[in-house]
Amino acid sequence: MALLIIGSLVSPVDNRSYKTLPNALIYVGDDGLIKAINHIVGVPITTIHIEAILGEVGHCGEFEILHLARGEFLIPGFIDTHTHAPQFPNVGAGQQYELLKWLENVTFPMEAKFKNVDFARKAYTKIVKRIIDAGTTTCCYYGTLHLEATKELARIVHEYGQRAFIGKCNMDRESPSYYVERTDESVPHTEELIKYIRLLTPSKDGSLYVYPVLTPRFAIATTDELLKRIRVLVDSDPLLTIQTHISENPSEVRRTKELFKHLSKPEKPITYAGVYDHYHLLRNNTILAHAVYLEEEEWKLVKEKNCGISHCPTSNFNLTSGVAKVGDMLDRGVKVGLGTDVSGGFSPSILTAVRHASIAAKVVAIADLNSFAYRPLTVATLFWLATLGGAQVCNLERKAGSLEVGKSFDAIVVNIRNTSTPSPPPVSPHNLNLWGVGDDEDLGLDIRRRKDNNSIADGDAEVDIADENQLKEELDAMLERLLFCGDDRNLRRVYVQGRWIGGTEGRYDSTGVNVNATSLWRSNEAMSRRLFGSLHVIHVMYIRWIVA
């Protein structure tokens, strides 16, 4: 069913700017694509504006309407360019280890348990839901080396309706005996998974939500023989996305050069990126996680091949790996997005990665204020990394990453009212870290309720909607509060391709008690009168409107 949303919108434009539409109408077709976005300036939205957008898109029939309240706004869904689904049960464990010891003592023992398909099914059902509720509409998943378990991950993600890249790890060495592949089985199992994923039911617009991704774990874990077989697969399938790790940790880099020293030439020692290039793994649909210690020659190669980088600052800090210079990557024009890298990273939320990306940039900042590389990242850049930057890394920028006409409606309804004062439901459970719009209202700090003489309006005074600059200023403040203080409690709804698949609504009512989503149909006649005159609507919930 088509969807019409009335409210505020924030969407990235590039890595330096974003647009704010404080008073907008967004029409989403029943195929999940954004058909129209109308920004109404200077006057409240009325039925005239609604009829105009319906006429613009040629709508005739039934549709749903969602009206966003004060303190709510739309943003594109988050894009997680790197995470390990089977490591979620380990979140918060092994904090004392660096990378290679952490794999040995924490990660590999847990991943080995996914050989049991029933265990995998139960775990992945919980894991995928958590990731969706964290606002991730597109996710790049590493599975385990187990074919059937990774099929289950793909099936579960597909049934939830999340957009995702899913791969089975290729790893035939430098792993414990209980968790390692036979070289001759790795690629055939990968090919079977690719076929399985590509045969999943397509969406209404004929495209797939779930894509296969070739996943050689990292150079250390793959023999020359396996990489040669992978190279054949890569060369035969240019549309197949590739994901792997690169230059995460100094010990890992040294070990990689040791294992592949036979690829060195007298005048040209082998590099980590050089190994991947030798086996044709670097191309425009390759996603490289970390890139903390790439050498200048490697950066030139990554840029030349148009690879994407998944910046995983939480994991890099947590495993004492190092600090990636994401600003330098941006200056080079390299595609960059954010990854949570669970469970090296201890949070499934891209919002956590945003904060740690900000801290990482500040750690490497020096006096050069003319480049991204050595100064703090702006709110606009952080927002872009979490959304459109990630879409570019995944080569999905024409489909997702921003809210634009023609793109899929992959979006989050953000709620940062966050007040203990009674207010119309649904209200997200209280987030003590976030100072919300409702808190401003309680203290008279709400810019929408100021009179020209800077006094505070009494009672339920209406906003002077003609003051566009004030409304944009408020949206700027709300976005920054979300990025630095928000969490899953502030993500009311999560949409992929126009389908509502997650968020707090349906999990909690206004008191924080779990409820069924179907029980949340409530009306608010006062809002109805203000918005539509005598027309009765459902406040911030569904209505069905039959257009003659």
Side-chain angles (χ1 to χ4, degrees), residues 256-301:
T256 298
K257 291 180 177 181
E258 290 172 3
L259 290 171
F260 292 94
K261 60 185 177 182
H262 57 280
L263 297 180
S264 294
K265 298 177 181 179
E267 71 285 0
K268 189 176 181 181
I270 193 63
T271 63
Y272 206 143
V275 172
Y276 287 148
D277 189 46
H278 180 79
Y279 293 105
H280 301 182
L281 293 174
L282 300 184
R283 59 190 192 186
N284 74 325
N285 53 358
T286 296
I287 303 170
L288 299 169
H290 303 295
V292 180
Y293 296 102
L294 289 185
E295 302 166 14
E296 182 61 31
E297 178 185 340
E298 293 179 288
W299 277 120
K300 292 178 180 178
L301 183 58

Side-chain angles (χ1 to χ4, degrees), residues 177-373:
S177 58
Y178 61 83
Y179 188 56
V180 67
E181 286 185 297
R182 283 176 43 183
T183 303
D184 61 346
E185 290 182 345
S186 182
V187 170
H189 286 177
T190 297
E191 291 173 325
E192 186 175 339
L193 178 67
I194 292 169
K195 182 179 179 180
Y196 174 83
I197 291 175
R198 285 176 171 168
L199 288 175
L200 292 171
T201 307
S203 62
K204 286 183 178 180
D205 69 346
S207 64
L208 291 174
Y209 294 165
V210 182
Y211 312 89
V213 53
L214 180 64
T215 309
R217 187 170 195 124
F218 62 154
I220 291 176
T222 48
T223 61
D224 283 87
E225 180 58 33
L226 178 54
L227 287 170
K228 289 175 184 176
R229 297 181 185 204
I230 287 173
R231 180 168 58 191
V232 173
L233 174 58
V234 166
D235 290 345
S236 69
D237 195 344
L239 297 180
L240 180 63
T241 300
I242 302 164
Q243 65 179 1
T244 190
H245 301 78
I246 192 168
S247 292
E248 179 178 359
N249 173 283
S251 298
E252 169 214 13
V253 175
R254 287 194 297 269
R255 183 59 177 153
T256 298
K257 291 180 177 181
E258 290 172 3
L259 290 171
F260 292 94
K261 60 185 177 182
H262 57 280
L263 297 180
S264 294
K265 298 177 181 179
E267 71 285 0
K268 189 176 181 181
I270 193 63
T271 63
Y272 206 143
V275 172
Y276 287 148
D277 189 46
H278 180 79
Y279 293 105
H280 301 182
L281 293 174
L282 300 184
R283 59 190 192 186
N284 74 325
N285 53 358
T286 296
I287 303 170
L288 299 169
H290 303 295
V292 180
Y293 296 102
L294 289 185
E295 302 166 14
E296 182 61 31
E297 178 185 340
E298 293 179 288
W299 277 120
K300 292 178 180 178
L301 183 58
V302 167
K303 172 63 175 175
E304 175 191 337
K305 299 292 184 177
N306 197 27
C307 302
I309 301 296
S310 176
H311 178 42
C312 305
T314 307
S315 173
N316 292 341
F317 283 131
N318 198 42
L319 295 178
T320 326
S321 295
V323 184
K325 295 181 179 179
V326 66
D328 180 59
M329 301 178 200
L330 293 172
D331 281 337
R332 293 174 182 272
V334 173
K335 297 184 295 187
V336 189
L338 295 178
T340 58
D341 194 22
V342 170
S343 67
F346 48 74
S347 169
S349 174
I350 284 292
L351 289 171
T352 301
V354 163
R355 289 155 206 163
H356 291 156
S358 177
I359 293 170
K362 292 171 182 176
V363 168
V364 300
I366 57 174
D368 184 356
L369 301 179
N370 296 315
S371 67
F372 278 121

